[in-house]
Amino acid sequence: MNRSPDLNPIPPPSLRLQPLPHLTDTNPKLTPFPNPIDRNQFYRPPTGFYVSPSDIVLRHVTHDLSGAFSSPSPDPAYHRAGPRKNVYFESAQIRAAIVSCGGLCPGMNTVIRELVVGLWELYGVRQIHGIRAGYRGFYSMDPIPLNPKLVHNWHKLGGTVLETSRGGFDLEKIVDAIQHHGFNQVYIIGGDGTMRGAVKIFEEIRRRELSIGVVGIPKTVDNDIGIIDRSFGFQTAVEMAQQAISAAHVEAESAVNGIGLVKLMGRSTGHITLHATLSSRDVDCCLIPEMDFYLEGEGGLFEFLGRKLKENGHAVLVVAEGAGQDLIPRTDKQKEERDESGNLVFLDVGSWLKSELKKWWERDHPNELFTVKYIDPTYMIRAVPANATDNLYCTLLAHSAIHGVMAGYTGFVCGPINGTYCYIPLTEVAEAKNPVNTDDHKWAWVRSITNQPDFTKAG
């Protein structure tokens, strides 16, 4: 490897700077150019505008000085995101491709819009193309030319104008198509499965020794991508989830022995359920994938809800879609069923809980009034436009991605760590998980608000 020392500064022994792939790793003859932002007729970069490769972001900012708990040593650090003084692409030679994959998420159109506008206005790029229908669109559909006028109002729309899909990942066909179309910058928007695919694309491009920048922009409404502070669309999802919880509360409060049951998104993590519970204060019990629960017996869900109904006359139960999957009976066929991304198809925990609640009440409280109102706002939440906070976040993500690729970095993800945007190797993000830590303060706050049981059986 014949890299400039400026691209790979040596950190002090207490830090471990995560190496970031660069186009010069496979093509050391590449030469940098002055950043075209210097020539922008409407903007003059002030002193300190450009980020140095020696600017880093620490993964951990809290440490225990008592020695009772070990701190990571050396502490992981990442390159800070932002524009560099020199770039490795000439604007006139850039052909950029933008693709969105996986399920819908508030903010997808904003990211696409800001990528187009940022490339066009900041760096003078004129050949920008959208890839339709996810990864399969690289080899099965013609790219769509994009420009600022076309995408002007996209941030006001839910979904993704480029369309999306799951599956369709054929590595050879995708990279062949990237070469065929002459793309030298590829922007990939998607969740953890999409990021794993992006790693393979990046590695295949390196194997072929192509000077193509690949960047991942993490998208998952569940907020289950690790390392970064949060993924875009998450705050919009929590805001919309509160509306569903409020409706469930009204329904429950307006009935005799009424239960409002809300199922929220979260296959493997309960972040939306947790944050919506903390925000609404109407929730009596919060069930997430990271915490097992049981229905019958002392300390079980039925006992707790029975007590709440006796005290208040109503209760609100919020459950993440991935919670309780091991409790729901499955046929042999259902045990093997997978979706297009290869994930186990989950059964509807909300419908199952509604059924079990009715059975419990009819058995233990015959001839007493009882109502369960079940609300599943999943597709309403996924399809809305991003709120103001997420729109701003999407803009910063898009611009961070552009600056990183222009600086010659590749095989990375952009995102905030401890509030500062940085570049993280794709391989790290693709492997990292972000489960709810049920030992930390946030889960303790949930327990203090709901007073729900810990669902730990005695003995």
Side-chain angles (χ1 to χ4, degrees), residues 25-227:
D25 295 345
T26 54
N27 190 352
K29 294 182 179 180
L30 285 177
T31 56
F33 307 92
N35 196 315
I37 294 177
D38 285 335
R39 303 189 300 274
N40 191 305
Q41 60 178 320
F42 303 110
Y43 180 77
R44 291 292 179 269
T47 303
F49 174 78
Y50 292 114
V51 176
S52 164
S54 60
D55 289 342
I56 62 173
V57 179
L58 301 184
R59 173 82 174 273
H60 303 101
V61 294
T62 58
H63 296 269
D64 175 46
L65 299 180
S66 71
F69 300 94
S70 61
S71 297
S73 181
D75 192 7
Y78 300 91
H79 289 274
R80 184 180 162 204
R84 267 48 177 182
K85 185 69 176 173
N86 293 315
V87 298
Y88 283 79
F89 289 93
E90 292 188 87
S91 299
Q93 304 301 318
I94 295 172
R95 285 179 60 84
I98 303 169
V99 63
S100 56
C101 307
L104 296 184
C105 176
M108 293 176 76
N109 280 326
T110 304
V111 173
I112 297 166
R113 178 193 187 277
E114 296 306 316
L115 286 172
V116 173
V117 174
L119 283 165
W120 191 286
E121 301 291 354
L122 291 174
Y123 287 101
V125 179
R126 295 296 182 263
Q127 299 183 79
I128 310 169
H129 298 82
I131 306 301
R132 293 175 54 197
Y135 277 137
R136 58 171 44 87
F138 274 108
Y139 57 83
S140 63
M141 302 180 187
D142 291 331
I144 303 171
L146 301 176
N147 59 69
K149 185 175 181 179
L150 178 66
V151 304
H152 179 65
N153 287 315
W154 283 17
H155 63 295
K156 300 176 183 178
L157 306 174
T160 168
V161 179
L162 290 183
E163 303 174 341
T164 186
S165 69
R166 299 185 187 275
F169 186 83
D170 187 313
L171 181 60
E172 291 296 320
K173 287 183 178 180
I174 291 170
V175 179
D176 285 349
I178 290 171
Q179 277 193 267
H180 172 73
H181 291 294
F183 297 136
N184 52 10
Q185 292 187 3
V186 180
Y187 298 85
I188 301 173
I189 307 165
D192 54 351
T194 301
M195 293 300 107
R196 289 191 290 272
V199 170
K200 295 178 181 178
I201 292 172
F202 159 68
E203 290 174 344
E204 177 61 17
I205 284 173
R206 283 200 124 188
R207 189 189 68 80
R208 300 187 188 188
E209 298 185 349
L210 304 174
S211 294
I212 300 173
V214 178
V215 56
I217 301 176
K219 172 231 59 157
T220 165
V221 73
D222 300 347
N223 200 36
D224 58 0
I225 288 182
I227 302 179

Side-chain angles (χ1 to χ4, degrees), residues 348-367:
D348 188 344
V349 65
S351 295
W352 173 76
L353 271 175
K354 179 181 179 180
S355 175
E356 294 300 310
L357 285 166
K358 287 186 172 181
K359 291 177 185 177
W360 158 63
W361 194 264
E362 290 172 0
R363 183 193 70 207
D364 291 3
H365 305 273
N367 303 319

Side-chain angles (χ1 to χ4, degrees), residues 233-252:
F234 173 68
Q235 293 202 348
T236 304
V238 172
E239 187 175 299
M240 293 298 297
Q242 287 185 69
Q243 297 181 25
I245 292 171
S246 295
H249 183 248
V250 170
E251 290 283 357

